[in-house]
Amino acid sequence: MNAIEICNLKKTYNGTLEALKGINLSVKEGDFFGLLGPNGAGKSTTIGILCSLVNKTSGSVKIAGYDIDTHWTQAKQNLGVVPQEFNFNIFEPCIQILINQAGYYGVRRKTALERAEKLLDQLGLLDKRNTPSMRLSGGLKRRLMIARALVHNPQILILDEPTAGVDISLRRSMWTYLESLNAQGMTIILTTHYLEEAESLCQNIAIIDKGTIIANDTTKVLLQQLSSEVVVLYCEAVPNTLPTLPNVTLTKIDDSTLEAELSQEKGLSVLLQELGTAGILVNRAKNKSSRLEELFIKLVKV
Amino acid sequence: MFALQWVGFITLMRKETIRIFRIWSQTLLPSVITTTLYFLIFGGFIGSRIGKVHDHTYIEFIVPGLIMMSVITNSYANVVSSVFGAKFQKNIEELLVSPLSATTILLGYLSGGLLRGLLIGLFVTLISLIFAPMQFHHIGLIISTVFLTSLLFSLAGFINAMFAKKFDDISIVPTFFLTPLTYLGGVFYSIQYLSPFWRHLSFLNPVLYLVNIFRYGFLGISDINVPLAFSSLILLVFVLWTIAWTLLKKGIGIRQ
């Protein structure tokens, strides 16, 4: 069974702005799925419809096999949502926010309290248990939103740009946490502008642009669409005249740096060997940019 | 299914109750102070110089109206500020993404309006005992009227909050409609003392009916037809419930 099934979903705002032009999308159970797209592409509208914050114009949506129109209670019970913007009551203590949220899903107070404390502990918020949410830092607020989305034990977790504005160490700890949830069987749907994040976490990716899905496949297959890849090579010394090698274009950046655009047929180890033979010793190598970023730019023509 | 909705309702009711007591200096105290001043000034200082109204002292006459005025303003204020606050901070989304039905959400918010309205009504009643002896002509009518009035204005507050886009929008109705209607609704006078034009105009004021039903419950006197007014009150509650429920169900003002 698919965790999410979207069929011919359309959304028009104010009768004129066509935000979604009939998208079809399915997310497998247990998947770590990335929904990417530039600003205004329709990501948040799609997420909004899934979580009942946006009314769809037409089409159908099933969550854990339940239609959101006919079986909305069951559909909503299976879904946890981490929205893009902070949306909790700023005056309420963290523990109260979690207990209330659990209550809205029918979790009784005693169980809610146990779950809330466990989640606060897991997300490093236990010492902020009784602190009003407005006194938390941005990063802690993000963690509290994740805890809130999990307190009713959903099967599917939707995160709308969860790491926006979060420092790198917290971002990485959030990635680890999300990976552990996914490993336990939870389906995770992620929208993000950090393509490195999507490339590293997501098993499947869909790219949406101007209300249409323009790519939808496994991350591996999508990345294979790239005909070439640019690698930055840090060398002992780079001569003025570069050797001509098959399936690669070399460009000298400075006396110790070289850029190599490799075609798909060319392996990095072969290139390093060939450069060594030509007397260019490479100390380190790295991708010029995230491969997904290159694909994204190619597809959405930004 | 029922268990889920019940737990959700209790959670929302508890949340609203905590809110009322957390900010008690804004929710409970002001009405108590204002009404005490009314009792002192209109009942004690000025009232003693005013003759009897329908065979009752002036303070006895105004007590039911003042209780009703407090219930109306507090029920309305509680729901409008709580719902608009949730809209403004976007935490109403917590409810919208949850499996709670529109009925449960509406009942949860109304419970806050009812609690505050009835609590203030009780406080004001207790304070009035310092100034005037309490009479009960029809206790059942008193209880049902105060409950239905609190419910009616809680629903009105909810509808106002659903349409409100900024804080100004939630103060326009109380300032320009609710307060004038309450003050001109026969709280401080009997409309029989008005000229025919103003008397007839007063019949268009819904608050007049509420105050008079309530006063009838205490003193057994009224300027209007009580059974007709009470039936209209029930009808109005039903109409506002339908509007509020439909707005919530369709997500007007809260969903895109």
Side-chain angles (χ1 to χ4, degrees), chain A residues 254-273:
Chain A
D254 58 37
D255 286 346
S256 60
T257 318
L258 200 60
E259 247 182 40
E261 188 179 348
L262 286 92
S263 67
Q264 266 194 339
E265 302 81 50
K266 187 87 171 187
L268 187 59
S269 58
V270 176
L271 173 68
L272 295 178
Q273 234 173 17

Side-chain angles (χ1 to χ4, degrees), chain A residues 11-26:
Chain A
K11 173 65 186 176
T12 308
Y13 289 105
N14 305 321
T16 50
L17 179 64
E18 214 178 355
L20 293 178
K21 298 172 182 168
I23 64 165
N24 294 293
L25 198 64
S26 40

Side-chain angles (χ1 to χ4, degrees), chain B residues 85-184:
Chain B
K87 255 178 82 171
F88 187 76
Q89 292 185 54
K90 288 182 179 280
N91 61 67
I92 199 159
E93 290 178 0
E94 290 177 343
L95 294 166
L96 298 179
V97 301
S98 79
L100 294 185
S101 67
T103 307
T104 307
I105 296 173
L106 187 53
L107 285 174
Y109 277 116
L110 295 180
S111 69
L114 279 167
L115 175 71
R116 180 167 152 193
L118 298 181
L119 208 54
I120 292 287
L122 180 69
F123 290 160
V124 173
T125 307
L126 292 175
I127 293 166
S128 75
L129 291 175
I130 302 169
F131 298 90
M134 188 63 70
Q135 298 175 37
F136 297 107
H137 180 72
H138 197 312
I139 191 83
L141 191 66
I142 292 171
I143 293 169
S144 52
T145 304
V146 76
F147 178 82
L148 287 170
T149 305
S150 180
L151 187 58
L152 182 73
F153 283 90
S154 297
L155 282 162
F158 187 89
I159 294 167
N160 185 179
M162 292 293 273
F163 284 113
K165 288 190 169 64
K166 47 189 192 300
F167 279 101
D168 288 351
D169 298 340
I170 62 167
S171 62
I172 285 172
V173 176
T175 309
F176 295 105
F177 297 98
L178 209 52
T179 306
L181 286 178
T182 311
Y183 278 81
L184 298 173

